[in-house]
Amino acid sequence: MICNHCGANLSPEEKICSYCRCQVEEIPAPQQIQNIQPQVPSYTGNSAYNRIMPPGQAVPHHKKPALIMCLLGFIGLGGLHRLYSGKIGTGLLWLCTGGLFGLGTLIDLILILMNSFYDKDGNPLQ
C-alpha cells in the first residue's frame, strides 16, 4: 500500500503512515495503474507558424535585432526595439518623445547589453 500524502511504501496492515502520521487510504500501487498514453496536440491549418511553434507559445525575440533597433534610437528612431519586443505602448511613447529624450533609450541599451531586457511576456531576449 502507498501513502497518498507522502508516497511512502507501507505494509497492507498499516492504517497510519509511519513517515507522515497521516490516515492511510487504500490506493493501488504504481505497478497496478494502467499505462495511459499522453495525447499529442494536433496543429491545424497550413500556416508555417503552426508547424514551427505550438499554439499559445510565445515567439522568441532575439537580442541582436533589438540591439540594432535600440542604437537607431540615438538618431531619432527611438522605440523600435520596444515595438519589436511587443511593448507597443512604451514603444509608441519612445517614438513620440525621442526615446524619452534619449535617457530611456540609453537605459534600454544598457539593459539589452546586460541581458536584463525582457519582452512583453517577461521572457529574456535570446
Side-chain angles (χ1 to χ4, degrees):
M1 189 178 328
I2 295 177
C3 175
N4 61 346
H5 295 281
C6 69
N9 288 324
L10 306 172
S11 65
E13 25 324 304
E14 289 186 77
K15 301 294 180 200
I16 296 178
C17 177
S18 57
Y19 295 98
C20 68
R21 302 286 181 213
C22 293
Q23 180 81 26
V24 176
E25 298 174 14
E26 182 134 359
I27 58 172
Q31 298 88 348
Q32 298 169 351
I33 298 175
Q34 297 177 353
N35 261 346
I36 300 173
Q37 297 295 327
Q39 292 183 345
V40 178
S42 62
Y43 305 113
T44 58
N46 47 0
S47 165
Y49 175 78
N50 285 340
R51 283 180 261 137
I52 297 170
M53 301 292 292
Q57 188 172 348
V59 177
H61 296 97
H62 299 283
K63 182 179 175 180
K64 285 183 182 179
L67 181 62
I68 293 169
M69 290 179 206
C70 186
L71 290 172
L72 290 175
F74 293 109
I75 60 169
L77 294 173
L80 293 179
H81 63 288
R82 288 190 162 264
L83 293 172
Y84 169 73
S85 62
K87 299 177 179 181
I88 305 300
T90 55
L92 293 174
L93 178 67
W94 259 241
L95 276 172
C96 294
T97 61
L100 286 179
F101 309 107
L103 185 61
T105 302
L106 179 63
I107 291 171
D108 284 350
L109 178 65
I110 293 169
L111 289 175
I112 291 171
L113 291 173
M114 293 176 55
N115 294 325
S116 299
F117 190 81
Y118 299 96
D119 67 2
K120 70 172 179 142
D121 298 321
N123 301 319
L125 301 179
Q126 296 179 355

